[in-house]
Structures are given as C-alpha cells and as structure tokens.
Amino acid sequence: MTVEYIRYRISDPERRAAFEKAYAAAAEQLDAAPQCLGYDLAHGVEEPDRYILRIVWTSVEDHLQGFRGGPLFGPFLDRVRPYIEDIEEMKHYAGTAVSSERRAATLYEAVGGTPALRRLSATFYEAVLADPVLAPVFAHFTPEHREHVAVWLAEVFGGPAGFTAGLGGHQGLLRSHLGLAITDRQRSRWLELMSRAVDKELPPDPALRRRVMEYFDWGTRIAQDVSRQSPGTDLGDPGPTPRWGWNEGDAKGDGGESRQPQ
C-alpha cells in the first residue's frame, strides 16, 4: 500500500471553488477503482490557496499501471485536467511505524470493512491457486469461496454476522476443513501468502497487522487440527462464531477457546 500526495496552489478564489467541484466529480472514478483504498482533499487554513490531495493506493504499480492504464483514468483526468499546471508536488509515500490515530472500535472498521476484506480474500486466493504447495488443498475451490471467507472475517472482526445468518456459522466452517490433512508446510505457506496479502490490502497500522496475523495464526492451527479428522466426523457444538478484537482477551466464543479455522 502507498499514499500519493498531490499539492496544489490555486490563487483565484473562483478557480478554487471550481477545483473542489471538479474533484467532487472525479471522486466517482476513485470510488469505482479497486486500486484506490481511500482519499481526501484538504484546504489550507493559514494559506487558503493551498490544497493537499491524499490518495491511498494498493501499490505504486497498481496506481500507475492499473488505474492509469484502465478505463476510469480518462474520465478522471478530464475532470481535473484544468488544474494540472497548479500542481507543486505529486509523489508517492510509504508509511512508517510512527503514527497515532483514534482507534476504530473494531478490527472490522479498522481494516476498512467488507470491501477491504473482499480485496484481501481475492489477492490471497489468487496467490494460493498459483502456489504448488497450497493448490492441492483447494482442489475443489469455487469463486464463491473468496466471498465466503470475506463474510467470515467480517463477522470474526466485529462486523455483520452474515456467516452465521446464511453460510452455516461456526459449525459449517469447521466441517469444511474435515479430511483436508493440512501439513505443517502448507500451514506455514498459507500464513506467508496471507501476510503478503495483508501488507498489500490492509492499512499500514502495525497494531492492526499484529492482531490480524495473530488471528490467522490461531485459526490455522485449529484448521490444521480439524483437517486431520475424517469427513463426517461429529465435531459436537463448537459454539457461536468467535469475535476477535484489539486485545488478546477479546477473542469471544465458547470460553475463548472456540475453534475457528480459515
């Protein structure tokens, strides 16, 4: 993930008003672009002629080759073209560990909600299906699997309970792993590819990354355990779908020991 900053200086008050309207219209293309994770346009207080546009992209390559090379860039550029000569800086920046923001109440909010989890799932499974170590585990993979994983993670991270409502809940997820016989090497590779997907698709917040990866580590251990059992094994009542929060004590299910594989 990368952040693009574009600094403008627009002296004429009438052009400033038109400039803001132009970006309000151009935001339609940014909202539609899968490479764009968010944006905001700030107006100078001490110096009203200055603006800073901040756009968060999945990567520099996705911005320059994906967005600019795609069908959305033309309409976007047409709307902001009159202000290109007003640009003073247009650069990409990488985040650092030095940051402080008011923390979102749930991991679901912090990751960016269901849209971000869909991107995470899509990026991850694209790599999985091309990986010789993991592809055998997903021999019966269907496109719906990506969406189901996003819905599961949304519920686990404190969002809508869609998996429980329509996809079989905790019991259904557990049973889908029976008989897969996941090896230590496959589990390790799963975590490696998911770590890369997290780095690409989720916000660059070290605390958020730590908790998300701790969940995946915990969940894949249980997934591996369940996978050693034969299809049709009675797993008993695993309890409700667990919830995973900011603190280590926030995992909620049947006494905090719920099975919740991925």
Side-chain angles (χ1 to χ4, degrees):
M1 188 163 59
T2 188
V3 181
E4 180 188 22
Y5 286 97
I6 308 176
R7 303 178 192 275
Y8 291 87
R9 189 163 191 169
I10 303 174
S11 300
D12 184 348
E14 291 186 5
R15 289 192 72 239
R16 291 202 290 265
F19 170 76
E20 293 182 24
K21 288 181 181 180
Y23 261 108
E28 179 182 345
Q29 279 72 50
L30 294 179
D31 288 334
Q35 304 90 350
C36 178
L37 303 180
Y39 56 86
D40 58 78
L41 178 65
H43 186 200
V45 176
E46 292 83 4
E47 298 179 87
D49 59 338
R50 293 186 181 274
Y51 286 88
I52 298 177
L53 176 67
R54 175 180 177 272
I55 306 177
V56 183
W57 301 101
T58 48
S59 70
V60 174
E61 181 181 45
D62 286 347
H63 172 212
L64 299 181
Q65 299 180 20
F67 178 69
R68 289 193 179 180
L72 295 171
F73 182 62
F76 173 85
L77 184 60
D78 287 343
R79 286 167 167 164
V80 303
R81 191 188 304 276
Y83 308 98
I84 290 177
E85 293 184 358
D86 300 295
I87 294 175
E88 294 187 329
E89 178 192 13
M90 184 166 58
K91 300 286 187 182
H92 293 96
Y93 289 80
T96 72
V98 182
S99 65
S100 178
E101 295 182 4
R102 187 177 297 277
R103 177 173 287 176
T106 64
L107 297 182
Y108 175 76
E109 296 174 59
V111 300
T114 300
L117 294 173
R118 285 178 174 142
R119 291 193 299 269
L120 177 69
S121 183
T123 295
F124 171 68
Y125 282 107
E126 181 180 4
V128 163
L129 295 177
D131 187 83
V133 175
L134 288 177
V137 180
F138 296 91
H140 303 291
F141 181 89
T142 64
E144 290 78 14
H145 186 85
R146 287 188 292 264
E147 176 66 12
H148 292 177
V149 168
V151 173
W152 168 261
L153 292 176
E155 183 167 347
V156 168
F157 290 157
F163 202 94
T164 294
L167 294 173
H170 200 183
Q171 179 75 247
L173 188 78
L174 285 167
R175 293 183 64 82
S176 70
H177 291 81
L178 289 170
L180 293 180
I182 298 169
T183 66
D184 289 342
R185 184 185 180 200
Q186 287 170 332
R187 176 179 173 272
S188 177
R189 183 62 174 162
W190 194 103
L191 288 170
E192 181 182 348
L193 295 184
M194 179 56 79
S195 178
R196 295 178 186 175
V198 166
D199 286 342
K200 180 177 181 181
E201 301 295 352
L202 300 190
D205 177 342
L208 175 63
R209 187 188 194 285
R210 175 178 60 81
R211 284 303 287 158
V212 167
M213 290 308 300
E214 284 175 351
Y215 166 72
F216 287 132
D217 179 68
W218 186 50
T220 54
R221 289 180 188 277
I222 298 169
Q224 184 178 24
D225 179 58
V226 172
S227 77
R228 293 173 177 142
Q229 302 178 59
S230 301
T233 297
D234 183 1
L235 298 173
D237 180 9
T241 298
R243 297 295 182 119
W244 194 264
W246 286 106
N247 302 311
E248 291 185 9
D250 286 347
K252 298 176 182 178
D254 53 347
E257 298 298 328
S258 294
R259 291 175 169 176
Q260 52 166 342
Q262 288 303 309

